């Protein structure tokens, strides 16, 4: 098992141009800018279908349907080689942020402290990942971040890894949310860009 420094960025593409135009720019030019960041170990894009109803059955007390305003177009996973690596890539990160307006109407950063991301060795020799499932959990009010992290790392992840059917398993637990201290950027659409905020643990 590896414990890299990983952040996830939830992304909504612009709606004033064809969706595929934004997805192609993200996959192409924007990916090239971000991938060139010094100190980067991995940059991975998870592209989601435009019409994605989710796969969870209706369950009492659990929000299984995805609200329209929370449906995202994709997730960018950024993994650094060390806790100091982000400082080396500040110049390139500024270029990537400047290019976001060409692609996204909104971005939302999920960040955690070092060792909050876990990559489990579950794949066999020569196996490749096919379909990925992206599962987000939000801790209940009154549950501390430490208890939530312990549940994910000590109970949930080992149970999933032990099924023997997964080809890849990665978990991330995030810092408690806080309001951004910066000034949100505004794209050509009417939706503000909020790439500097960090939500609650998920």
């Amino acid at each position: 098992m590896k414990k890299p420094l990983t952040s996830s960025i939830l992304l909504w593409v612009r709606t004033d141009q064809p969706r595929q135009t934004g997805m192609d720019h993200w996959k192409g030019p924007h990916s090239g800018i971000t991938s060139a960041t010094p100190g980067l170990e991995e940059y991975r894009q998870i592209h989601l279908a435009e019409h994605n109803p989710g796969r969870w059955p209706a369950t009492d007390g659990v929000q299984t349907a995805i609200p329209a305003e929370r449906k995202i177009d994709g997730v960018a996973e950024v993994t650094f080689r060390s806790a100091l690596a982000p400082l080396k890539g500040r110049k390139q990160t500024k270029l990537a942020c400047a290019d976001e307006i060409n692609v996204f109407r909104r971005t939302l950063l999920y960040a955690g402290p070092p060792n909050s991301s876990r990559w489990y060795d579950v794949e066999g020799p020569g196996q490749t990942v096919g379909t990925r499932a992206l599962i987000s959990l939000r801790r209940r009010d009154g549950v501390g971040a430490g208890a939530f992290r312990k549940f994910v790392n000590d109970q949930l992840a080992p149970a999933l890894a032990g099924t023997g059917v997964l080809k890849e398993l990665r978990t991330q637990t995030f810092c408690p949310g806080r309001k951004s201290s910066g000034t949100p950027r505004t794209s050509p659409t009417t939706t503000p860009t909020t790439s500097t905020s960090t939500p609650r643990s998920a």
Side-chain angles (χ1 to χ4, degrees), residues 2 28 43 82 113 124 128 175-176 189-190 196 199:
K2 295 177 61 177
Y43 172 63
S82 70
T128 57
C175 294
T189 62
T190 58
T196 54

Side-chain angles (χ1 to χ4, degrees), residues 56-70:
W56 296 100
T59 304
D60 289 339
V62 179
Q63 185 183 57
T64 55
I66 306 173
E69 69 276 8
R70 301 195 70 174

Side-chain angles (χ1 to χ4, degrees), residues 4-8 110-120 135 137-139 144-154 156-157 170-176 198-202:
L5 179 62
T6 303
S7 295
S8 288
Y110 280 67
N115 298 324
S116 59
S117 178
R118 309 284 176 92
W119 294 0
Y120 295 83
I135 303 173
L137 303 176
R138 182 171 54 196
R139 61 186 170 94
F148 180 80
R149 188 177 301 111
K150 184 175 178 63
F151 164 73
V152 172
N153 294 335
D154 297 348
L156 180 61
R170 296 182 177 187
T171 65
Q172 297 179 54
T173 52
F174 307 108
C175 294
T198 305
R200 296 183 59 180
S201 298

Side-chain angles (χ1 to χ4, degrees), residues 83-94:
L84 296 178
L87 298 177
K88 300 178 181 179
R90 285 181 297 181
K91 182 178 180 180
Q92 197 67 20
T93 297
K94 287 182 179 180

